[in-house]
Amino acid sequence: IGRYHPGPTGAAASYREAQQALAIGQSLLGGQRSTYFGNLGAYRLIFLLRDSPELEEFYRETLGTLAEYDQANGSDLVETLESFFACHGNAERTAESLFLHRNTLAYRLRRIQQLSGLDLKNMEDLFRLQLALKIRKVVQPQR
């Protein structure tokens, strides 16, 4: 679904947005539901750049080490990071959502920092990680 835009040219703009929302929805959500362009946030930009080597490189630089570590060791550091952000950085809620003891979560978060070289208390690093997690959802299906 595209956003409302007034006038005849607005209908064309809304149609283009609806086409993009459909493509993004099918790619990220499986296409079994309606997707409103206005609710797609950063995915509107990331999806347009999905074929960019720079986007893939940014993902690899930011989360590549964690993803490789998870694959090699059967761990869930990327999933832990996803949950950490879903819980707005609240460690107690994150531990509960993952059914972990808080010490286990603390260990995982330290391990994430060690492997990624990023600080979970630094806003720029947090933004970088959040963006890389969103990029992962767009570039992952293409791998």
Side-chain angles (χ1 to χ4, degrees):
I1 302 168
R3 294 177 295 183
Y4 170 76
H5 298 279
T9 57
S14 181
Y15 180 73
R16 279 192 306 278
E17 289 179 358
Q19 286 178 311
Q20 286 183 294
L22 177 63
I24 295 168
Q26 286 176 333
S27 177
L28 298 179
L29 307 172
Q32 300 301 318
R33 53 177 105 168
S34 297
T35 307
Y36 175 57
F37 185 80
N39 292 341
L40 292 172
Y43 289 110
R44 295 177 355 208
L45 301 173
I46 295 168
F47 196 78
L48 290 174
L49 300 170
R50 69 187 175 279
D51 296 325
S52 166
E54 193 60 38
L55 198 67
E56 176 78 24
E57 183 62 26
F58 180 87
Y59 165 78
R60 244 190 334 271
E61 287 173 359
T62 308
L63 282 180
T65 304
L66 292 177
E68 290 169 10
Y69 182 87
D70 279 351
Q71 189 171 17
N73 297 286
S75 57
D76 297 314
L77 297 181
V78 174
E79 178 189 345
T80 300
L81 197 55
E82 286 269 12
S83 294
F84 180 72
F85 285 123
C87 294
H88 307 286
N90 182 310
E92 186 175 326
R93 284 189 23 218
T94 304
E96 288 173 8
S97 74
L98 294 171
F99 304 102
L100 297 174
H101 189 277
R102 65 176 189 253
N103 292 343
T104 303
L105 176 65
Y107 167 78
R108 286 187 185 183
L109 294 175
R110 281 192 309 275
R111 193 73 181 126
I112 288 168
Q113 290 184 114
Q114 290 169 348
L115 291 169
S116 69
L118 299 171
D119 182 358
L120 296 178
K121 291 187 171 100
N122 178 294
M123 293 304 289
E124 186 66 28
D125 288 351
L126 288 171
F127 174 73
R128 183 182 177 104
L129 287 165
Q130 284 184 304
L131 184 58
L133 287 169
K134 290 182 184 306
I135 290 169
R136 177 177 180 254
K137 291 178 182 176
V138 173
V139 301
Q140 194 86 14
Q142 298 175 7
R143 294 171 171 221

